[in-house]
Amino acid sequence: MIKLVTFGSVELRGSGVGDAGRLEVQPKRLALLAYLAIQAPGSFCRRDTLLALLWPELDQDRARGALTKATHYLRRTLGDGVLVGRGDDELGVDTDRLWCDAPTFEAALLQGRRSDALELYRGELLAGFFIPGAPDFEKWLEIARARFARDAAQAASDLAAECEAAGDAAMGVFWARRAMVLAPGDESSLRRLIIVLDRTGERAGAVRAYEDFARELAKEYEVAPSAETQALIEAVRRRSTVTNPALTELASPELVSVPTTPGARATETAVPTSSVRGHWRWLLAGALLLTAGGAGYGAMRARGAATALAPQRVVVDRLENRTGDPALDALGSMAADWITQGLSQARVVDVVPVLTALASSRVASRMEQGAESRAWTLARETGAGLVITGAYYLQGDSLYFQAQIADATHSRMLRALAPVAAPSQVPLTAIDRLRRDVMGALAPFLDSRMQAAAAPSSSPPSYEAYRAYAAGLESFISGDMRGAIAQFDRASATDASYTLPRLLAGIAHSNLGQQAAVDSITRIVERSRNQLAPFDRAALDALQAWNRGDRAASYEANARAAALAPGSIANAQLGAEARFLNRPRESVRVLEALDPERGELRGWFPYWKNLAIAHHMLGDYRRELDMIARAEQLHPAEPQIIAIRARALAAMGRVDEVRALLAPMLDGDTDKAPEAYATVLDAAIELRAHGHADDARLLLERAVTRAVAQRNAGKMSPLQRRMLVRLLYAAERWSDARIELAALAATDAGSLTHACGQGRIAAREGDRLRAIAMSDSLGRMTTNYLYGANTWCRAQIASLLGDRREAVTLLRASFASGRAYDLALHLDIDLEFLRDDPAFVELVRPKG
């Protein structure tokens, strides 16, 4: 069957199509086919109507001749039986031989299948299509476009209302955003979006949506939103953001410090350490986010070694904007991404992931002295032997794209491709052609199968969808997860068939600890699994595994991703996954094979944090110190360096050096609390674990004194008050910790944090019945996405009550539920009573 796509672009697909490429540049013949397919599917149109519609400038005889030629051409191009007639005066199409998205969209809506209908609506009907001198056709097209857009917006709005009523807030947000994209001036759609964003805690997103709407309204019509809408957003602004108390954890001695982007400072989060949801935050540098096809051609060089270029690895640079118009900057990364995806889907070459390439491109931009040095810098940063660079220009109303292929291994230019052009309003047609040309040009140097793969297997998304996607990438890389989600949602709402933004939105939601949204999104993406490149499928599998707490499956998925993108951040993630499964030796081996001074690992501190933890788990504190000294040279302003160095020094018993290192935190400005208190707490617990309990107690008392003074001055947030509870608890001031915990009951009552703290303090104070009651309460918790945090706390209580067997059993259950192996196993003061238990010793023993 032949397929005619009319939403977002105009495209003919199908093995039965003849010279479709020529048809697509003959607007009146294509208009004739589109009109028959859309206006009268399964029916007929009179020839007189078609003559007036398409050839009004011709007399009757010449118009009939033009229609006859067009009909013959369509039959020859599409094959017999697609175009059919009834008598001599009527024409139509056989819907059994020609499928068209527009009437299929209408049929789906009539049957109540709104989601299926919106999967088809990729954008405006016949976007960018124009026939000069045919005013009646233009009028028909304008009316049809408005009708389809209105129906699509209503369908999205109805789906948003249904999801909201069903309690699926994440999908309610998705469909509400899509309704806004489809009907940007509809205030009722805006209010629904604000309401569902507010209910999911995304108040910043709600305010942003309102401000964008108000700005456009003022720009276009010089009016403000209605009083109803203004009252709604003011109510949202008045509400303060409330942290979900179920997602804060007293039980673990380590606060989660979440690294964001390369070079960015860490920020604290209320996500429990026991669940270690920082996993996906480590991916926001980008490598596990976009396509990177093909099997790897060997591991990258070990750090410190000379650069080894893989002759059959390809990197695509961001094309340079030489139009003089900054508004067209996004086209450079779009072109790089689309070419990369095409190479990826060929599955016969090793392709550098696009965000790895973009990160390296930024380095090249700072260092380059010319095109040759830029290509070499990209090659050195990514290990790719082949580098694709290019630029685009604006001449009149047309954009011209040109690309070159360089062989960095032998320092020579292999090929300069002929320019490809497209109207500036529809640049993606040129970008798609450029992708095909690049793949065809690479075939002689890589694999003959590249030539066959260069044939179009999928159409690019709509330009507006791609622009939103590119903006989402920029927000994602900068660490703005909420902004990224808004753009990715806009991209997939604009073009429902565009799967990649949904996958990225799912990862961004995971970075924010919004697991319910991740579940909703991955269910949608799963339906398009076959459309994903191998690397994207690995990313999807890893995201799904993490969300359900299956660490083994997540490890396997990340191993596949690492094999598909050797030397990238995916390999660094594999090192982290190994550690989470208690394989610190493997973690060290994988991480030390990478070069943290190159590519997307450049400026990315989580690499060092992971490697430090793996060394610490192995008891190799000297290597941990040496490693953090090298990290400090590259990241002199990174605040986590002090915490890691203090931890290693404490484990080695170098108490005086620990005191000197922490003195500025204990005697200086407390505005950095609770980060400073967390660093002191970790160092003190490390000292205690290695036989220096008195020194640990002195450090803790000094920290408690400062924290109490801060509390008494009214300068403590609830999060900082929870840190004070932890300091008091570690200092063995059980009664004070209980009183402070009770003061937090207004915000924490019924939460995991509160129940865990009460149970542990009760056990410490000898109130066995209350401790058991709180443990039972933790066992009955049915909150989703706990990842073993409640079970871990029950193990702590069992340990304190002297039930070693039960404690070890619960620890195993915690790991089975998604808990990661980490330093808490040897730092947790509540597990001290298990240190000589054979079952516990075996449990914590590194397995790899």
Side-chain angles (χ1 to χ4, degrees):
M1 176 178 282
I2 295 171
K3 294 186 175 184
L4 174 61
V5 176
T6 61
F7 287 136
S9 63
V10 189
E11 184 180 355
L12 275 169
R13 305 173 186 169
S15 58
V17 179
D19 195 359
R22 291 189 59 191
L23 175 60
E24 290 176 7
V25 296
Q26 299 185 49
K28 287 199 175 180
R29 293 172 179 177
L30 188 54
L32 172 60
L33 179 64
Y35 183 83
L36 292 173
I38 297 168
Q39 184 68 13
S43 185
F44 297 89
C45 288
R46 290 189 58 80
R47 287 177 181 265
D48 290 345
T49 300
L50 298 173
L51 296 180
L53 194 72
L54 297 170
W55 292 278
E57 78 281 9
L58 302 180
D59 60 41
Q60 188 77 358
D61 290 340
R62 292 175 61 196
R64 284 187 176 277
L67 176 57
T68 299
K69 287 182 180 179
T71 302
H72 288 165
Y73 183 86
L74 288 173
R75 283 174 171 152
R76 185 173 68 251
T77 302
L78 304 176
D80 292 336
V82 174
L83 217 61
V84 293
R86 187 167 66 181
D88 295 332
D89 296 327
E90 293 182 308
L91 280 177
V93 293
D94 185 344
T95 54
D96 290 334
R97 294 175 179 265
L98 178 77
W99 175 95
C100 182
D101 53 356
T104 307
F105 167 86
E106 290 184 305
L109 286 183
L110 287 173
Q111 296 165 11
R113 297 183 291 108
R114 298 185 187 88
S115 179
D116 292 339
L118 289 171
E119 286 285 340
L120 295 170
Y121 193 80
R122 301 179 60 213
E124 184 180 66
L125 180 70
L126 299 176
F129 192 78
F130 173 73
I131 300 178
D136 286 351
F137 178 82
E138 285 301 308
K139 183 177 180 180
W140 168 82
L141 181 56
E142 182 180 353
I143 293 171
R145 282 172 173 167
R147 183 181 82 249
F148 283 117
R150 183 177 61 251
D151 291 348
Q154 186 61 53
S157 183
D158 291 345
L159 282 169
E162 290 177 7
C163 291
E164 186 183 355
D168 191 346
M171 289 309 300
V173 169
F174 171 79
W175 290 120
R177 283 194 189 281
R178 182 145 200 219
M180 280 299 299
V181 169
L182 296 171
D186 182 10
E187 278 201 51
S188 63
S189 295
L190 172 66
R191 288 193 293 271
R192 174 167 285 118
L193 176 60
I194 290 172
I195 289 168
V196 293
L197 285 170
D198 182 36
R199 288 178 179 171
T200 58
E202 289 293 311
R203 294 186 177 88
V207 172
R208 188 184 300 115
Y210 171 82
E211 291 176 344
D212 289 345
F213 180 89
R215 189 181 307 112
E216 289 301 313
L217 204 62
K219 178 180 176 182
E220 293 294 327
Y221 305 106
E222 297 184 356
V223 296
S226 67
E228 180 183 358
T229 305
Q230 291 185 48
L232 175 62
I233 199 63
E234 285 308 312
V236 172
R237 282 174 166 148
R238 284 195 299 270
R239 281 191 290 278
S240 59
T241 301
V242 179
T243 302
N244 181 357
L247 293 181
T248 56
E249 175 67 82
L250 173 68
S252 179
E254 177 187 14
L255 276 183
V256 178
S257 188
V258 181
T260 53
T261 58
R265 294 174 67 97
T267 57
E268 279 203 323
T269 178
V271 176
T273 305
S274 56
S275 65
V276 196
R277 304 311 296 168
H279 160 87
W280 281 101
R281 292 176 176 85
W282 295 339
L283 296 182
L284 60 81
L288 237 167
L289 307 176
L290 291 177
T291 52
Y297 283 81
M300 299 294 292
R301 67 185 177 94
R303 64 181 166 87
T307 302
L309 303 182
Q312 291 188 299
R313 178 174 298 137
V314 183
V315 61
V316 185
D317 190 14
R318 185 201 310 260
L319 270 63
E320 183 180 355
N321 180 6
R322 295 184 181 172
T323 67
D325 184 356
L328 298 175
D329 283 348
L331 289 174
S333 56
M334 290 180 190
D337 179 35
W338 195 240
I339 294 170
T340 299
Q341 290 191 44
L343 294 171
S344 226
Q345 290 164 2
R347 305 186 186 185
V348 294
V349 294
D350 178 9
V351 189
V352 174
V354 70
L355 282 184
T356 305
L358 293 180
S360 301
S361 179
R362 292 179 178 180
V363 175
S365 297
R366 294 194 298 267
M367 300 172 61
E368 69 168 302
Q369 299 298 318
E372 290 184 4
S373 64
R374 179 182 181 85
W376 168 245
T377 300
L378 278 170
R380 184 181 65 247
E381 290 288 308
T382 62
L386 293 172
V387 183
I388 298 170
T389 59
Y392 49 103
Y393 313 82
L394 186 63
Q395 293 185 8
D397 293 331
S398 296
L399 279 165
Y400 288 82
F401 294 80
Q402 190 169 22
Q404 303 86 34
I405 303 173
D407 176 3
T409 306
H410 300 96
S411 300
R412 58 184 177 138
M413 185 68 69
L414 290 179
R415 191 83 184 268
L417 278 64
V420 295
S424 57
Q425 297 85 358
V426 284
L428 290 186
T429 58
I431 290 176
D432 192 42
R433 175 64 185 275
L434 184 66
R435 172 171 83 159
R436 303 180 205 177
D437 290 354
V438 167
M439 294 172 68
L442 281 170
F445 307 107
L446 294 175
D447 193 306
S448 60
R449 289 173 290 173
M450 290 289 297
Q451 189 70 53
S457 58
S458 62
S459 61
S462 69
Y463 180 41
E464 288 306 314
Y466 224 146
R467 287 186 63 182
Y469 162 74
L473 288 182
E474 294 300 324
S475 295
F476 194 96
I477 293 171
S478 68
D480 179 9
M481 293 296 107
R482 290 179 173 82
I485 289 169
Q487 293 294 345
F488 291 143
D489 284 352
R490 186 171 293 119
S492 52
T494 304
D495 186 342
S497 67
Y498 196 13
T499 302
L500 197 54
R502 285 180 177 162
L503 176 59
L504 286 156
I507 294 173
H509 277 294
S510 184
N511 290 341
L512 294 172
Q514 297 167 351
Q515 286 80 25
V518 176
D519 274 342
S520 295
I521 291 171
T522 53
R523 284 198 300 270
I524 296 175
V525 176
E526 182 64 37
R527 297 204 301 259
S528 304
R529 167 178 286 274
N530 292 336
Q531 299 175 20
L532 297 174
F535 197 85
D536 297 326
R537 287 200 294 273
L540 174 61
D541 291 342
L543 181 58
Q544 290 172 319
W546 261 88
N547 216 44
R548 66 176 182 266
D550 188 344
R551 294 196 178 279
S554 179
Y555 173 88
E556 188 276 332
N558 277 281
R560 282 190 281 122
L564 291 167
S568 73
I569 206 170
N571 294 261
Q573 183 58 41
L574 181 62
E577 297 284 348
R579 176 178 69 76
F580 298 153
L581 289 171
N582 199 20
R583 301 175 186 173
R585 292 186 186 87
E586 178 183 347
S587 181
V588 169
R589 185 170 64 252
V590 170
L591 292 173
E592 290 192 339
L594 301 173
D595 185 354
E597 298 181 47
R598 186 163 61 88
E600 59 198 328
L601 290 177
R602 180 195 298 269
W604 192 62
F605 188 77
Y607 167 89
W608 301 98
K609 180 179 178 180
N610 248 343
L611 185 56
I613 292 174
H615 282 313
H616 202 94
M617 289 173 69
L618 291 169
D620 197 342
Y621 311 125
R622 168 55 63 187
R623 289 185 69 184
E624 182 180 16
L625 271 182
D626 292 343
M627 182 222 69
I628 208 60
R630 183 181 175 216
E632 188 172 24
Q633 294 175 355
L634 301 172
H635 307 270
E638 173 56 54
Q640 295 182 77
I641 287 175
I642 295 176
I644 294 172
R645 178 173 286 125
R647 182 180 67 208
L649 290 170
M652 298 171 72
R654 292 159 62 170
V655 179
D656 290 341
E657 292 175 74
V658 173
R659 289 199 195 101
L661 187 63
L662 299 182
M665 292 186 170
L666 292 167
D667 300 330
D669 188 1
T670 59
D671 288 343
K672 295 181 179 179
E675 291 129 326
Y677 294 142
T679 298
V680 174
L681 176 62
D682 288 349
I685 294 176
E686 193 75 52
L687 284 170
R688 175 178 175 138
H690 292 274
H692 301 277
D694 291 340
D695 296 301
R697 193 173 295 109
L698 289 173
L699 275 178
L700 289 167
E701 287 296 341
R702 290 180 64 189
V704 166
T705 299
R706 292 301 302 272
V708 168
Q710 190 179 13
R711 180 205 59 193
N712 292 341
K715 297 180 180 180
M716 269 194 160
S717 67
L719 181 60
Q720 293 168 334
R721 294 285 292 272
R722 294 186 195 105
M723 173 55 71
L724 176 56
V725 174
R726 293 176 58 192
L727 289 169
L728 290 167
Y729 187 90
E732 301 186 21
R733 291 170 56 172
W734 322 122
S735 177
D736 292 337
R738 172 169 42 76
I739 294 170
E740 195 66 37
L741 187 64
L744 289 167
T747 56
D748 282 358
S751 71
L752 171 68
T753 299
H754 200 70
C756 185
Q758 286 185 317
R760 294 161 65 217
I761 292 172
R764 288 285 188 179
E765 293 186 325
D767 191 346
R768 185 179 183 87
L769 291 178
R770 180 164 175 75
I772 293 173
M774 297 313 301
S775 178
D776 291 344
S777 173
L778 289 163
R780 290 191 298 271
M781 279 190 172
T782 57
T783 306
N784 292 328
Y785 316 115
L786 289 175
Y787 305 107
N790 57 329
T791 311
W792 177 275
C793 187
R794 295 185 69 205
Q796 292 173 306
I797 294 171
S799 171
L800 293 172
L801 294 177
D803 194 340
R804 293 186 172 195
R805 178 178 298 181
E806 175 70 5
V808 173
T809 298
L810 288 167
L811 288 174
R812 289 198 182 99
S814 177
F815 292 129
S817 298
R819 170 86 192 197
Y821 278 81
D822 57 20
L823 299 180
L825 280 166
H826 90 273
L827 290 179
D828 196 320
I829 66 174
D830 293 328
L831 301 182
E832 288 176 346
F833 306 98
L834 303 177
R835 299 278 159 76
D836 60 350
D837 184 89
F840 179 79
V841 171
E842 174 58 27
L843 179 67
V844 302
R845 181 181 60 81
K847 303 302 189 293

